[in-house]
Every structure is written in structure tokens, then in C-alpha cells.
Amino acid sequence: MAIKRNMRLGDLLVESEIITQEQLDQALEEKTQNQKLGDILVQKGYVTELQLIEVLEFQLGIPRVTLYNYPFDTSLFRMVSKEFAKRHLVMPLKKEGNKLYVAMADPMDYFVINDLRLSTGFSIEPLIATKDEIIRNISKYYDVDDLTGIPAQLETEPEDQEDIEDEDSPIVHFVNQILQQAAVQRASDIHIDCMETKVLVRFRVDGALRTERSLPKHVQGSLITRIKIMANLDITEHRVPQDGRTKLSLDHREMDLRISTLPTVYGEKVVIRLLDLSMAQNDISQIGFEEENLDKFKKLIQQPHGIVLLTGPTGSGKSSTMYSALSQLNDEEINIITIEDPVEYQVEGINQIQVNPNVGLTFARGLRAILRQDPNIIMIGEIRDRETADMAVRASITGHLVFSTLHTNDSLGTINRLKDMGVEVFLLASSLNGVVSQRLVRKICRDCSMEREATVREQQIFSKYGYSMDKVYYGKGCSTCNMTGYKGRTAIHEVLEIDDEIKQALLNDESSMKIREIAVKNGLKFLVEDGLEKVKNGVTTTEEILRVALD
């Protein structure tokens, strides 16, 4: 059946087999009065912004433009103010005669088109571009103009706070721009590295660091001082590491910024971790669990007592998974208390304690106090020593559900780690419910995903785990993913349930190999296997799985 241009957007997407009728119905049901259907479809992950634009291009007959490496006529930026561009998501591209070509996220906003016509005196020709591309390029080009006067105005001593605290000062604007750009690019961390002759600003996006800006050396003092002031740190102390935090609204999201300074030979290195507070409320079904592992995890967190451990290296998403589980369990009838170092996400309805060794508030001491507060669920940020491990075991045996994290390579290695810490085997067998090992892998960009022949090595790996795969997917690179081939991250998991058979093996002091055999027999899927399942489904690449989950 021929697709007609006058079809409604939802019907057009269903007709094009981009979404299902069920997905359309669900989006229409959840859509608020002022929300556009396209926005909620992108938000729920049913379509990418580029897929939506391609359909709109067909439906509206308005051409699409890619802004990656676009040869902008920067003289046109004087015609459209930065504030107008940001508020309405527009960017002037070029002029031909009396026509001004403008990239727009919503080319059907006739009020904006009319405003542009009146303010510029040109006839406006709209083109469709993605929101991300427009926002990224507004930051890239408009902010350059904002920085032209800064070097000459930053040659003040860092200790002179007056200009640095003034909200209209160049350095304040500069730091705000860096934070805004990081939020737009969905960076998890900002690194400010002091070199001998320059200062590098680097963003960690989807787990990979890349240099965003190179700054002249003389901005270093004022830049670091401004960041210290934001985090309420001592601006006169340069010899010892400092830690602080602050909250800001960036890219229409509430963000918690954790700021750390470290003295180096060329000045203080600063790392800012950006925590999206909305991530603490993530639905656990959206984290990346395959259906079988999700069922196991839900079963573990719904137990009335016992210990559930999340393991993996730093930056593997353990905290996000744990907070998602706590958010699902969060109820006015349940008393949830956490002790963390630091408190990463602040969640309404949960009592959270910050470890403070300076006054003797350690994990173990805090845990003793928590047990006197009639808790149902306890979350311990990390089990680091025998005392904390013993307290966690005691809490679980006395009828509490305990969540915590541990730094081990896999789920089975956690058992040996707890034994090494001195936890008695009979206590371990009676208290441990399960272990979830987790890693983060980059997802293939959906807008440039391509199919290719599997290499001989890939086929050997697939065959080892019982898969027969001739084709795999990869990202070719496009403007959506900044030519990386990857966009966003997901988790791979290894969920070990400590069932009766494993408990008995522990009590019998069986070898690690024997426990491994029992776990595999009872359905344990290793990290590599979970990852290869995602490779098979076109979610990620073999290279990503081998990078984080070598077996």
C-alpha cells in the first residue's frame, strides 16, 4: 500500500514499520497535552531522532540537513541571537539572495519563522535538523564569540574572589559554558588537566575520554578557583586534594556535580563527575538486563532478608543499578537507610548517611547505628574490610535485606573475596542471596548501524558459546554519534543466584571449580555470553564485549 503524505505522523511511522501499533498506542496514552508525539517516541526509545526526521521530511516535504562539519557562514550568527537560537533550537546556515536558510528542530513552528523573517528582513527557508546537532553547534559556535574577551580579563590572582564570584564575569560564563556543553554531549566526567604550557578540557562520553578544548595557561588559576568556589572548597589550599559537590540545572536536567581536585606538578587537576539525578529513578527494566537475568534480579531484590551484592570495576554502573532497585522498593511502609561514601544520588523517601572518617563515622560504625533504627532495607556503599563484611552478614541474618558493592571481576570471584576477608563459610552460606556482576558497553548508533560478515575470530568466539553467527553489526559513523559509530551505553550482566545446591557446596567447603560447575548447570550465564547475546541482537559490537568481559 502506498504511503500518503497527508497521513498523521503516528500512522506514518507504523506504516513505515518503524514502530508498532502497540508502541504508538502507549505513547499516545502517556503523552501530555503540550507534549509532541515525536518527542515522547524519542524519549521512550521507540525511534531515533534521525528516523523521526526522515519521516517528517517525507510527510512535510521539508529537506533535512546534517550539521556535522557544516560550512557555516558565521557572519549570520549576528542576525540570530544566542538566546533566540537556544530557546527555539534554530541555527542560520546560509543566505541566497533574499532567502535565509535556517536549521530548525521544529520546522512547523510558524511563529518562530515569522519572528526570524521580521528580525532579519529575509524570507526564511526552514530545514530539519536534530535537536542534539543544533544544541551542539550552538555551543560550539556561539560560545566561541563569548570567549574572545576572556584571556585579557583573567590575568588576576586566583585569590581575588570578587570578579570570580560575580555572576556576570567572563570566567563564570566560561565555566557555565563548559558545564552546559558537557551536559549536552551526555558526558559523565569533565577533566581539567594542567600541562606545562596549556590547560586541557576533556569530556568522558560513553566511557571514552576526548579533548574538547585547549586553553592558554594563564586562565588556569581563575578557572580552577571558580570551580572551587562552586564546590565550597578552600581556594587558598593548593597542596592537598579536596572534594566537594554542588547542584545545577544543565540542559533542562537536575545535575549533581561531584568535584575533586588533585595537586600535580603543573597545577591542580580537577575532575567533575556529572550525575543526572533522574537516573536514580531508572526503571530496572531499562538498565540492559536480558529477560532471564531481569527475572533473577527481581527475585533477588524481593527477598525479605539476605545480602545482594553488585560487583565490577569503578564506573561500571553498579550504583545506578543499586539505586534503581532501591527506587523500585521505595515505599512509605518500608524503612530504607543507606550509608555511602560519597552519597551519589539523593533520593526522596530514603534516609542516606555520608561516611565521615574524620569524626569516626565509618561504614562499620554507621551500620551499627543503622541497625538500631528499625530498618527494613540497608544499602552499604561498599564492603571494604572484614568489619563491614561481618556487620553486613549479621544484619542480613537478623532479618534485613542488605545491598552493597564489591570490587571483583566476576560473580563467582565474590565468594572467594568474602572468604579472604574472613567471613565464615557457614555465615556466607546462610546470608548471601546472590551476586550481580556488571559492565558497561557502548551501544551501536542506531542511525548508522550496518551489517558486515563476521570475522573468523568472531565466529570462533560465537561457536565456543553455542552461537552460529555469520553476520554482525557495527556503526559506520554519522553526525548523530559524532562519527564514533557508538551512541549511549548499556549494561551486560552475570547474575548468580546462591541456591540450596551452592549453599551446600559452600558448607562442604567445595572448590571454586565445583561451585562454578553447579552454577553453570543451574543456568548461570557469564558476562561474555550476555554480551554476545547483545551482539547477536545488534545492540553492541564484539570488540566492546571483548574489551570489558574477557572470560
Side-chain angles (χ1 to χ4, degrees), residues 137-168:
N137 281 281
I138 287 173
S139 294
K140 180 178 179 181
Y141 288 98
Y142 278 91
D143 288 348
V144 167
D145 288 342
D146 289 348
L147 297 179
T148 52
I150 285 184
Q153 299 183 54
L154 292 185
E155 295 173 355
T156 56
E157 285 299 313
E159 287 78 5
D160 181 11
Q161 286 194 46
E162 283 191 24
D163 292 337
I164 296 173
E165 287 184 329
D166 180 3
E167 291 301 315
D168 292 325

Side-chain angles (χ1 to χ4, degrees), residues 388-401:
T388 308
D390 285 340
M391 289 296 298
V393 168
R394 189 193 307 175
S396 67
I397 290 174
T398 54
H400 305 92
L401 181 60

Side-chain angles (χ1 to χ4, degrees), residues 5 19 23 91 162 164 172 190 228 231 264 279 334 345 371 403 407 412 414 446 456 479-480 532 538:
R5 284 200 179 195
I19 63 172
Q23 289 174 328
M91 272 200 88
E162 283 191 24
I164 296 173
V172 170
I190 303 169
K228 282 184 171 183
T264 69
M279 295 295 288
I334 295 175
Y345 299 101
L371 290 174
F403 292 96
H407 288 287
L412 288 162
T414 304
R446 289 168 61 183
V456 174
S479 59
T480 301
L532 292 179

Side-chain angles (χ1 to χ4, degrees), residues 305-309 383 389 392-393 396 400-404 431-434:
H305 54 79
I307 301 177
V308 178
L309 293 175
I383 294 177
V393 168
S396 67
H400 305 92
L401 181 60
V402 179
F403 292 96
S404 191
S431 63
L432 191 59
N433 289 348

Side-chain angles (χ1 to χ4, degrees), residues 195-206:
M195 304 287 113
E196 185 176 7
T197 60
K198 59 188 175 182
V199 179
L200 297 180
V201 178
R202 299 191 292 166
F203 293 169
R204 188 179 293 280
V205 180
D206 292 338

Side-chain angles (χ1 to χ4, degrees), residues 348-384:
E348 187 74 25
I350 295 179
N351 305 283
Q352 296 171 275
I353 302 169
Q354 169 76 52
V355 166
N356 187 354
N358 293 331
V359 296
L361 181 53
T362 61
F363 278 116
R365 188 171 179 182
L367 196 46
R368 286 192 198 93
I370 288 172
L371 290 174
R372 295 192 288 270
Q373 291 284 316
D374 186 31
N376 299 100
I377 298 173
I378 301 169
M379 191 267 268
I380 307 166
E382 184 184 347
I383 294 177
R384 298 175 179 171

